[in-house]
Amino acid sequence: MTQHAKSWTLKPGAMTLGDLRAVWAAPAKLILAAEAYPVIEASAAAVQAIVAKGDAAYGINTGFGLLAKTRIPDEKLEQLQRNLILSHSVGTGELLSDAVVRLIMLMKIGSLARGYSGVRPLIVDTLIALYNAGIMPAIPAKGSVGASGDLAPLSHMTLAMLGVGDVRVNGELMPAPEALAQAGIAPVVLAAKEGLALINGTQVSNALALHGLFMAERLLEAAMVTGALSLDAAKGSDAPFDARVHAVRGQPGQILAAQMYRQLVANSAIRASHLEGDERVQDPYSLRCQPQVMGACLDLIGNVGRTLLIEANAVTDNPLIFQDGPNGQAEIVSGGNFHAEPVAFAADTLALAISEIGALAERRIALLIDATLSGLPPFLVRDPGVNSGFMIAHVTAAALASENKSLAHPASVDSLPTSANQEDHVSMATFAGRRLDDMAHNTAVIVGIELLAAAQGIDFHRPLKTSPHLEHVHHQLRQKVPFFDADRFFAPDIEAAKQMVLHGELSSTCKNLFAPLYA
């Protein structure tokens, strides 16, 4: 996908994680590469040839699932596809965010445009028109087991193309017929196989997992910054970040994380003040082992990104049309690419990283408020006793860290058979991806509380300064949240810090430092 000013040219099968991040972050006009259209047309022509020949072919002129043996007359094929969408639109729960829906639509467009799904160019162009008009189908978050495709949520996506149900435009719900009319988009009448091609696929599961991935990247950056700030606040040692320590182990994420920590704390006057005469021999693990833990999270996040990128470019509906069949004829092949096990495993392992980032940050908050470990005033406030300081802010962090432990339980190990045991093993990838947003918000609060606590600790060391990188972060925070000199309404401070974490503000001025995360 190539960026041209405020538009994107999508080359099917060639998206990068950078492309997907950009679409997740903000809308931009989408253009499909011209070379995609001939293969789309050839695939659609192959479907029409199968219909004309009259042989039974699953998804084209048969029923679905356990009804695959039921032959459908040609005159009812359009009704078959419409009925498929209406009957499968059974989602429930809150609506998916515009950012997630943009990813779903983009990946569905890219998948159909690879020319294996048998849809007409009209279908792809209508999806692109909706996307470019900012018409976001109203897709409920719950109702998919991540096998046989994300049938229910993708059916809700397809409803918008038919001019049925609701959509969201500029954050406001409105009837789909009204939105399409305002944008000058004609509702489509689905031809043979097109409904099935639209709702088969892993795009919803993958979009939810990508959303979790991009949130995890921001959490990783922020927690490395707050972890470095906590190190200085607690007058910890930077010796454990020595490159030689990590080189002899050889774990690439650990080596890279240690390098980042060295850069974050470089030239700290606080560190220089206790290079000699410090009675402590070793720091607690939450300070000392940051490269080991965060480096492992870094490696895991990188592995997840590779899996989800492959899936983003994949063709995952069923059946598929191949132009290299016997005697050069198109051949329809029924398989199971709609089974989202790779996405489920990726989302489950990503949950581990998000949980651990928060768990380690919670331990550093506990360290900072404990005067016997940190050397700072109890609960990081003057006149403790009269003031409770950060006592209960830490309780909030502990509650959220504990909640994340439960949410981190793998979804992929569960399976409930569906469709009268035709679909007898499912991935549960949709929930595996969906719960990542809750986990990420929990961790963002924990890291935000650590930011507040560590900045408070730095203030107690004045006039000494921390490193230039960390001084800038401290200054950014103090523009929004003043020093905690006495007990006050604390929740707004925590929310402000959380938003700084979620919006990437802690690393905004040192992006070059974190660039290797995205190599």
Side-chain angles (χ1 to χ4, degrees), residues 367-378:
L367 183 155
L368 291 173
I369 66 174
D370 186 341
T372 61
L373 292 173
S374 68
L376 295 165

Side-chain angles (χ1 to χ4, degrees), residues 92-96 139-142:
T92 188
E94 295 183 3
L95 299 181
L96 297 178
I139 303 177
K142 299 180 181 181

Side-chain angles (χ1 to χ4, degrees), residues 190-206:
L190 299 172
K193 194 186 180 299
E194 290 178 341
L196 188 61
L198 283 161
I199 70 172
N200 247 189
T202 61
Q203 287 79 27
V204 174
S205 296
N206 208 50

Side-chain angles (χ1 to χ4, degrees), residues 215 219 400 436-446 498 502:
M215 296 277 278
L219 294 172
L400 297 177
L436 297 176
D437 183 70
D438 283 344
M439 296 186 69
H441 278 267
N442 287 345
T443 294
V445 173
I446 299 169
K498 173 191 175 183
L502 289 177

Side-chain angles (χ1 to χ4, degrees), residues 144-157:
S144 175
V145 295
S148 200
D150 288 309
L151 295 172
L154 286 172
S155 292
H156 284 274
M157 178 198 76

Side-chain angles (χ1 to χ4, degrees), residues 41-64:
E41 290 166 353
S43 184
V47 170
Q48 293 309 311
I50 292 169
V51 171
K53 189 176 180 182
D55 293 342
Y58 175 71
I60 295 177
N61 51 19
T62 72
F64 309 105

